[in-house]
């Protein structure tokens, strides 16, 4: 027989199910990437970078588990962006440059896609999770007892879920630019010295994008309308810089594999702004 205290702290079954699903998805991400690496016809520098970046997403699922267990509101947009970009990050490695994908990799990708779809479905369709994911991150509070970190109600009106989605999507711009820039650096090591200035510009643009997004989203969460237009402009500049460099230094294959996920992230960010405007 459970006590009243035990019943009070017991999480809903949907939370426990989602936590287990996220753990399985994190493990599946690692397994599928290892399968792709094992069956890849050419295990070069570019594949190693893309595989490492995709495997890092398993850590993202572990971070998401923490947000879900703590009932944080950011879990929904973070989970959506993580699931979508994981599918693209893994999918671009399943398809080889020539021929058909190996059967183990294709089956693993199908399984991972189903797991990511289930994660998104639970996050956005479960009433129990909707009632659970309502808490905000702790903040530094100064009072008579001293300094402490605890949850406090936001001082401004709560940002909509679509604005949070745009914010999380925009924060992926920088890593999605730096990964192909690092791959292009391998071309410099292969003797393409003419690409050195372009690679340096690419790295610089990736770092600058992170600061620009941080500035935009800080005011976006405060309800500044001009910040929406600025984020749209930053998105356009990011695409204008990244996609041509992908095409020039990495070819059509690199444009699809590395430019595609950035286009998806940009589309989610812009769609979130549009939905928030209509809400």
């Amino acid at each position: 027989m459970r006590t009243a205290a035990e019943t009070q702290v017991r999480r809903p079954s949907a939370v426990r199910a989602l936590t287990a699903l996220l753990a399985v998805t994190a493990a599946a991400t690692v397994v599928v990437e290892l399968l792709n690496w094992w069956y890849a016809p050419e295990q070069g520098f570019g594949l190693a970078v893309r595989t490492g970046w995709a495997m890092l997403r398993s850590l993202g699922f572990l971070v998401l588990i923490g947000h879900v267990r703590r009932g944080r509101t950011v879990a929904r947009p973070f989970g959506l962006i993580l699931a979508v970009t994981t599918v693209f990050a893994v999918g671009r490695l399943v398809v080889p440059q020539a021929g058909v994908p190996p059967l183990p990799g294709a089956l693993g990708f199908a399984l991972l896609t189903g797991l990511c779809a289930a994660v998104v479905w639970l996050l956005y369709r479960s009433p129990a999770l909707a009632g659970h994911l309502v808490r905000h991150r702790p903040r530094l509070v100064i009072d008579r007892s001293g300094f402490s970190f605890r949850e406090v109600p936001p001082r401004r009106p709560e940002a909509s879920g679509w604005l949070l989605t745009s914010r999380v999507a925009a924060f992926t711009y920088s890593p999605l630019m730096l990964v192909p820039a690092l791959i292009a650096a391998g071309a410099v090591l292969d003797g393409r010295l003419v690409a050195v200035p372009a690679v340096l510009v690419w790295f610089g643009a990736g770092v600058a994008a992170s600061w620009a997004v941080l500035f935009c989203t800080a005011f976006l969460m405060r309800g500044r309308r001009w910040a929406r237009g600025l984020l749209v402009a930053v998105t356009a500049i990011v695409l204008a810089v990244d996609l041509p460099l992908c095409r020039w230094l990495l070819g059509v294959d690199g444009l699809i594999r590395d430019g595609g996920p950035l286009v998806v992230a940009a589309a989610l960010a812009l769609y979130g702004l549009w939905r928030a405007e209509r809400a």
Side-chain angles (χ1 to χ4, degrees):
M1 181 176 180
R2 297 188 182 94
T3 64
E6 290 174 338
T7 304
Q8 185 177 3
V9 300
R10 185 175 177 82
R11 296 183 177 90
S13 58
V15 175
R16 300 194 301 272
L18 180 58
T19 300
L21 180 62
L22 290 172
V24 173
T25 306
T29 302
V30 176
V31 172
V32 172
E33 287 308 314
L34 292 177
L35 284 174
N36 289 335
W37 175 265
W38 181 264
Y39 286 98
E42 296 182 2
Q43 299 174 346
F45 178 74
L47 180 62
V49 173
R50 293 184 179 110
T51 300
W53 167 242
M55 291 183 67
L56 281 176
R57 295 174 183 276
S58 62
L59 298 179
F61 284 106
L62 299 182
V63 173
L64 181 56
I65 288 176
H67 287 313
V68 171
R69 290 173 63 89
R70 293 177 178 85
R72 299 284 171 75
T73 56
V74 74
R76 278 184 168 182
F78 181 56
L80 174 63
I81 301 301
L82 182 62
V84 172
T85 55
T86 295
V87 170
F88 274 86
V90 176
R92 66 182 177 180
L93 300 178
V94 172
V95 181
Q97 295 184 359
V100 297
L103 182 59
L107 293 177
F109 173 70
L111 174 62
L112 184 60
T113 301
L115 290 173
C116 289
V119 167
V120 174
W121 187 88
L122 275 176
L123 283 172
Y124 284 88
R125 294 297 182 181
S126 171
L129 282 171
H132 176 73
L133 301 176
V134 295
R135 301 184 62 184
H136 301 275
R137 64 180 181 179
R139 299 177 182 273
L140 178 63
V141 177
I142 304 176
D143 52 21
R144 295 180 179 179
S145 60
F147 299 89
S148 62
F149 280 93
R150 63 174 181 264
E151 182 184 1
V152 294
R155 299 178 182 177
R156 57 184 182 274
E158 185 177 353
S160 69
W162 286 111
L163 281 183
L164 290 174
T165 301
S166 295
R167 182 188 187 188
V168 175
F171 273 120
T172 64
Y173 291 172
S174 181
L176 290 176
M177 295 179 71
L178 293 176
V179 167
L182 181 59
I183 297 172
V188 176
L189 298 178
D190 291 337
R192 292 182 60 184
L193 297 181
V194 69
V196 172
V199 172
L200 293 178
V201 169
W202 207 346
F203 273 108
V207 174
S210 65
W211 287 101
V213 168
L214 180 63
F215 177 80
C216 293
T217 55
F219 288 97
L220 183 66
M221 294 298 103
R222 288 170 171 78
R224 302 294 191 270
R225 295 185 61 86
W226 58 265
R228 302 189 182 199
L230 185 57
L231 183 58
V232 172
V234 170
T235 301
I237 294 173
V238 164
L239 293 175
V241 171
D242 187 79
L243 298 183
L245 288 175
C246 280
R247 176 65 180 86
W248 177 39
L249 296 177
L250 304 178
V252 176
D253 181 73
L255 177 62
I256 296 174
R257 295 177 187 271
D258 298 298
L262 181 62
V263 171
V264 173
L268 283 173
L270 297 178
Y271 181 72
L273 291 177
W274 179 72
R275 286 296 302 268
E277 184 72 20
R278 292 171 57 90

